[in-house]
Amino acid sequence: MTWRLKAALLAASLIVVTAPASAQALAGRAENGARINAMCIGCHGIEGYRASFPQVYHVPMIAGQNLKYLSAALEAYRKGERKHPTMRGVAGSLSDQDIADLAAYYATLGKPPATEPPATVALPAELKDKLTACTACHGANFNNTVDASYPRLAGQHRDYLYQALKAYQTQNHALVGRGNAIMVGMAATLDDAQARAIADYLSGLPGDLRTAPQPMLH
């Protein structure tokens, strides 16, 4: 083996060792997530709590949400792909392991609903074309997604869903907006009435999302 090949192999090994692990690649520890969630419970642990920016709306229910999606969302806030100032501040203080731990905690928090959501749901005729495209990622009942990196939407707060769609429609703004290319393209096809109607429909579906009040651990 030549010295050049040895040097190349050594350099490659160093790159592998020192490359940062993404939060989604780490094993989350729910018990640790329960200890470091003090920044989360002030909003997501209070039933009916509302945010005030960019408008007043319920903060999303995240207990029972998909683990991979929770990790991806926090990473997107940390990178600035999602621009909500409060969430960017919170996510910016988290390590990859913190994100993995919080995602594991909230994905398993609380008890599931007593009844299982139906496997499929009927789509309203006036929104069928729009929503059929959504089921390709979010599932036929908007609760059992085709991939765990997509969020459950069934039963989520109506006003939060509307604000999320509006965020995907907002580009080149310092404090508001989301950058997921698929969702940006989808949201761009909606007028305001359609965005509100979709949010209203999805919020009325049975699902596993919930707000689970949590004590602050020390």
Side-chain angles (χ1 to χ4, degrees):
M1 183 182 294
T2 68
W3 69 268
R4 289 188 178 88
L5 181 56
K6 290 180 179 179
L9 291 174
L10 176 60
S13 68
L14 290 175
I15 291 173
V16 171
V17 170
T18 59
S22 74
Q24 294 195 56
L26 295 172
R29 303 165 298 190
E31 67 278 8
N32 192 51
R35 290 194 294 269
I36 63 173
N37 72 338
M39 294 181 293
C40 308
I41 62 178
C43 296
H44 296 287
I46 300 175
E47 190 75 43
Y49 187 84
R50 289 173 171 84
S52 58
F53 179 84
Q55 294 180 347
V56 176
Y57 63 94
H58 287 86
V59 299
M61 292 179 280
I62 58 174
Q65 184 59 271
N66 288 331
L67 183 152
K68 286 177 65 178
Y69 168 73
L70 291 170
S71 288
L74 284 170
E75 286 190 43
Y77 283 117
R78 188 170 61 175
K79 293 176 181 177
E81 294 169 2
R82 293 189 177 193
K83 298 180 181 179
H84 190 281
T86 302
M87 284 304 304
R88 286 198 66 185
V90 170
S93 71
L94 301 174
S95 68
D96 286 341
Q97 188 64 60
D98 291 337
I99 288 177
D101 293 347
L102 286 168
Y105 173 64
Y106 277 100
T108 57
L109 180 63
K111 296 181 179 180
T115 57
E116 185 73 16
T120 60
V121 293
L123 303 179
E126 67 275 15
L127 298 172
K128 190 170 184 179
D129 289 345
K130 304 291 185 184
L131 288 169
T132 297
C134 300
T135 62
C137 294
H138 298 286
N141 63 357
F142 297 93
N143 184 68
N144 297 328
T145 60
V146 297
D147 186 279
S149 62
Y150 302 123
R152 303 177 190 266
L153 301 178
Q156 184 60 271
H157 293 304
R158 176 189 297 106
D159 49 359
Y160 166 75
L161 291 168
Y162 172 72
Q163 287 297 326
L165 287 170
K166 299 302 288 185
Y168 286 117
Q169 292 177 338
T170 303
Q171 302 298 309
N172 302 316
H173 191 290
L175 300 177
V176 179
R178 296 186 179 185
N180 181 280
I182 294 175
M183 284 303 303
V184 167
M186 183 272 178
T189 70
L190 303 175
D191 60 31
D192 193 67
Q194 289 171 326
R196 291 183 183 277
I198 287 175
D200 185 64
Y201 168 74
L202 294 174
S203 69
L205 297 177
D208 293 334
L209 297 176
R210 54 207 174 272
T211 298
Q214 307 132 69
M216 185 177 294
L217 300 181
H218 299 284

